[in-house]
Amino acid sequence: MARKKYYVTVDTEEVSEVSLPENGIEYEIYATQEEVKEIEVLFARKDKNAKDAVKFVGKPFDERPVDRKRDNYEAYLIAIYRKLYDLGTDETKNEIKELHLF
């Protein structure tokens, strides 16, 4: 399957074939439809862990469940950036390297 150029904005969780720089920091990648779907799945899993962690806000003394959710959230966020790095242009790779996530 052929790769196409996409622009990914992590903050808004958008994957677009058109650059929309006003939406935030974009990362330019070349990906197949399957790879784009993988990124979208990672976004969804990250969101689920963020929403699940919020459920524990009213229980301030039991941090263990929320810590697991936070750890999962962070793991998915790093997985997203790793995927963008792997699929990214040289400029994208340099920008992600500067984040020192992995």
Side-chain angles (χ1 to χ4, degrees), residues 14-27:
E14 293 181 71
V15 181
S16 175
E17 293 181 39
V18 179
S19 177
L20 302 168
E22 63 276 359
N23 287 353
I25 299 170
E26 291 183 324
Y27 297 100

Side-chain angles (χ1 to χ4, degrees), residues 45-98:
R45 290 181 179 163
K46 176 186 69 71
D47 282 350
K48 179 173 180 356
N49 281 281
K51 289 175 185 164
D52 288 348
V54 171
K55 292 177 188 175
F56 293 97
V57 170
K59 303 173 188 171
F61 300 109
D62 188 7
E63 289 289 317
R64 287 175 302 212
V66 74
D67 284 344
R68 281 193 299 276
K69 296 296 182 182
R70 287 182 193 135
D71 290 345
N72 288 340
Y73 174 89
E74 185 176 315
Y76 283 117
L77 189 59
I78 290 171
I80 289 165
Y81 278 103
R82 189 175 303 281
K83 188 74 169 172
L84 296 179
Y85 180 88
D86 291 343
L87 299 173
T89 62
D90 289 340
E91 182 179 346
T92 293
K93 288 181 183 196
N94 288 332
E95 289 174 7
I96 292 173
K97 275 183 197 175
E98 290 177 11

